[in-house]
Structures are given as structure tokens and as C-alpha cells.
Amino acid sequence: MIRVAAVGDIHMGPDSQGLLRPAFETLPDCADLLLLAGDLTRHGTPREARVVAREVADLPVPVVAVLGNHDHHDEQPERVTAILRDAGVEVLEGEGTVVECAGGTVGIAGTKGFGGGFVGRSAGEFGEPVMKEFVRTTRRSAESLHAALKELDTQGCTARVALTHFSPVADTLAGEPPEIHPFLGSYLLAEAIDTAGADLAVHGHAHLGSEHGMTAGGVRVRNVAQPVIRRAFNVYRLGAA
Ligand SMILES: [Fe+2]
Ligand SMILES: [Fe+2]
């Protein structure tokens, strides 16, 4: 059994230092690793990133993260990434990593993802250059997620997890206004997950959404945005392959 703790959208700033640390220090008792599903900061500033870094530094379990749209707002995602990496966080963007746990090896493929919407109501790669670039951004992200999951498959992981900020399915957006679904996720991410294979998909971003969903291919999807799960993290169990 592999125990995966996850939370997203912790949106930390200078006034939130220390709020999550006591809960994170209990992680070794209940989880093998911690996933952070993006929107770790409010505006993506280095100052905010340092708050997050101190909150997770030297935790006794591995920490794997993707950035969210808020972590890009100050247009310094590379600095945010570097500050988190200095604190020991594995920050993924279009790549995978393998964590050795007592119950087996878990492979995590991560990308921020992007919007575009869901089947039948989605943006197309057509028309104005800016519209094409919007959809291409999502497509490239989904392709990188697919490639990373496939690569993890060749490494014989006991379980594979897809970690994104944007949602791969509409299920976990239930509670959000349908009009904004195209800005909350894309079916291209779910297609990547289903065609490459995964045991669990974890995302954030949809603060008003719901926790539980599933891809068309039957992969469990969990929205771990903190306003949804209303706790420091949730723990999901993955069985042996
Ligand atoms: Fe958020
Ligand atoms: Fe977000």
C-alpha cells in the first residue's frame, strides 16, 4: 500500500507562515509522500515562494509539486521553482519522478496544465493566433503529461499518479459556474491520462469544485484544492500493481 498525501491552492503569503507546518510534520505517520497541486502562492512572488519553501523544508517525506496559475502571476515561475527546489521540493513541469516507498515505487508525472474546456464544449486550435496559442499551450502540456506517464511505465512503478493544477475532468468542477469550466481545465489532460495510464489523477485550481471524479477511462480524479478538502491535506491509498 502506498499512501499519497495531497493538497493544492494553499495560496501562502507572509501572514500564513507556520499555518500548515504542524500538520505537515505529522505526514510520516500517515503518508509516504506529499503532492502539492499548484497555486502554492498568491501572486507568484519570490517572497511568497520563500514562505512556502520554509513551510515544507526538511519534511521527513518527499514533496513533489507542480506550479499553478497564481505561481505564474509575477512572471517569475523559474525563480519560484528554484526557491522551492532549494527547499528540497521536486517541482515538475512536463516530466516525471519516482519515489521509493515502503509499499513500492510511485511514479509521479506532473504538469501545470491549462484550460480549454471539455468534450463538446471546448476551445479549438482555430482562427486567431492567440486562440491557437491558447489551445496549443494545453495540448503541449497534455503531450508532456502523456510522455512522462509512459516513461514512468517503462520504469516498472508500482503505481503512477498524474499531478496537475488544472483539472482533467468536469466531474470535479461540480459547484463551479459552468461558464468558467473552459478556464478550469481541459479534456486533453484526461485523454493523456487515459491513453498513457495512471492509478490516480490529482489536481487543484477549482476552489468551488468537488473532490471526487473519474476520467472516461476509469482513472480516479481528486480535486485537492484546500477550499474543497478543508484540511491541510488528504491521503489517498494506492494498491499494489
Ligand atoms: Fe487557486
Ligand atoms: Fe489556480
Side-chain angles (χ1 to χ4, degrees), residues 9 11 37-39 68-71 165-166 183-184 204-207:
D9 301 85
H11 289 287
D39 277 6
N69 55 315
H70 280 250
D71 307 317
H165 179 61
F166 284 75
F183 303 104
L184 297 177
H205 191 47
H207 291 207

Side-chain angles (χ1 to χ4, degrees), residues 63-67 77 80-82 84-85 89-93 95:
V63 183
V64 181
V66 293
L67 299 189
V80 171
T81 296
L84 294 174
R85 283 186 177 150
V89 180
E90 180 96 50
V91 184
L92 303 177
E93 180 44 62
E95 63 215 303

Side-chain angles (χ1 to χ4, degrees), residues 3 44 54 64 77 85 90 130 147 167 180 199 202 214 226:
R3 304 162 304 167
R54 284 191 289 269
V64 181
R85 283 186 177 150
E90 180 96 50
V130 69
S167 178
I180 68 165
D199 300 279
V202 170
M214 192 171 276
Q226 198 167 44

